Amino acid sequence: MIKAVIFDLDHTLFDRNGTLKSLVTALRKEFQVNEKMTDEEIAAEWCYADRTFVYSGWEYIFGYLKEKGVLLGSPDFQDYCEFLYKYFELISVPFPETVPMLEKLRGLGYKTGLITNGNHKLQYAKIRNLELSGHFDEIIVTGDYGIHKPDREIFDIMREKLGFSADEIVYVGDNPVNDIEGARNAGWHTIWMKSTGFWLDEIEKAEREVFTVSEVIDAVLSLEE
């Protein structure tokens, strides 16, 4: 019997693509950007790079933007990272279905939680901007523990906080390694959020797959059957 549904944050509960699109004007102000490209063209390249290389690291996304001529001159990668940290603390575009879905899960009697990789300041700023804090029974930002997904220990810490057995917990996330394989190795049920659309062939598939936040509840209920 499922008793808790735990989530990843980025690309799972908030719209990273929508957030990047909202930052194009700021990108133009901070960096030398190709003036021949429209905001829509820049956003399309940025979102494609984020979806494609999000599991590899920001340096790959940064390299793609330079290779495609979005960023011109000799931009510094550290400056790019500081730009993202600055604006991700200020702006996070939610999926409109996120809060209603969390409220419905809790109304059905499930405990809810969040495990997100990253540092305390940045991840809690996102959670605050998205107004999600009050919708979770437990929140773990891995930077507070010095342990990061897919390390099984971070999942075990959440399980102990909840007081449930591993087979009573479902994890929902977009990253095949950090989220799905990490949760599976901890003995949890798994649901893959296909927001990026990229799977790694060497990783065993999740028990369920969903395209949108609104599909999560049905996926959880199907695991009860």
Side-chain angles (χ1 to χ4, degrees):
M1 180 178 180
I2 306 300
K3 294 183 178 179
V5 186
I6 313 303
F7 294 87
D8 171 53
L9 182 60
D10 294 67
H11 279 303
T12 299
L13 291 181
F14 92 95
D15 187 354
R16 265 274 285 258
N17 288 341
T19 302
L20 291 177
K21 290 175 183 177
S22 74
L23 297 182
V24 171
T25 298
L27 187 75
R28 287 190 185 276
K29 291 180 179 178
E30 297 277 350
F31 297 97
Q32 183 183 354
V33 174
N34 191 336
E35 294 297 332
K36 295 181 180 180
M37 297 181 72
T38 65
D39 285 0
E40 291 74 19
E41 290 170 334
I42 292 171
E45 293 285 13
W46 204 0
C47 290
Y48 172 80
D50 191 69
R51 291 194 305 272
T52 305
F53 303 115
V54 66
Y55 306 144
S56 302
W58 283 0
E59 63 270 25
Y60 290 89
I61 299 169
F62 178 71
Y64 179 88
L65 295 177
K66 290 200 300 181
E67 178 186 338
K68 291 298 181 178
V70 176
L71 296 178
L72 304 177
S74 301
D76 184 79
F77 175 61
Q78 187 58 43
D79 289 340
Y80 175 77
C81 291
E82 290 176 2
F83 166 83
L84 289 180
Y85 284 129
K86 173 183 175 181
Y87 282 98
F88 279 166
E89 288 183 13
L90 298 173
I91 300 172
S92 298
V93 176
F95 289 124
E97 308 95 339
T98 295
V99 168
M101 178 272 297
L102 292 172
E103 289 179 341
K104 186 170 182 181
L105 275 176
R106 299 181 84 182
L108 291 170
Y110 296 104
K111 296 290 186 180
T112 58
L114 183 74
I115 303 176
T116 176
N117 278 357
N119 69 65
H120 180 101
K121 183 181 179 184
L122 178 58
Q123 296 307 92
Y124 271 100
K126 294 176 185 176
I127 294 165
R128 182 179 62 252
N129 292 339
L130 294 164
E131 300 182 349
L132 292 179
S133 301
H135 299 285
F136 298 114
D137 295 285
E138 297 288 349
I139 295 175
I140 289 179
V141 174
T142 63
D144 294 337
Y145 294 83
I147 309 164
H148 306 284
K149 297 180 296 181
D151 193 315
R152 173 175 178 162
E153 187 175 354
I154 203 69
F155 294 93
D156 288 342
I157 291 170
M158 175 61 83
R159 178 183 54 76
E160 291 168 4
K161 283 176 174 286
L162 294 167
F164 298 143
S165 62
D167 63 0
E168 294 174 321
I169 307 173
V170 181
Y171 194 75
V172 184
D174 69 286
N175 190 310
V177 176
N178 290 349
D179 298 328
I180 304 307
E181 187 169 57
R184 181 189 295 116
N185 288 340
W188 294 16
H189 296 281
T190 55
I191 297 174
W192 180 39
M193 176 67 68
K194 302 174 70 171
S195 53
T196 63
F198 288 92
W199 189 258
L200 301 174
D201 291 338
E202 64 272 22
I203 304 299
E204 180 184 346
K205 287 292 186 74
E207 292 168 77
R208 300 290 186 273
E209 299 179 0
V210 297
F211 285 97
T212 66
V213 171
S214 60
E215 299 174 65
V216 168
I217 293 174
D218 286 343
V220 170
L221 293 174
S222 74
L223 289 170
E224 302 269 26
E225 297 173 354

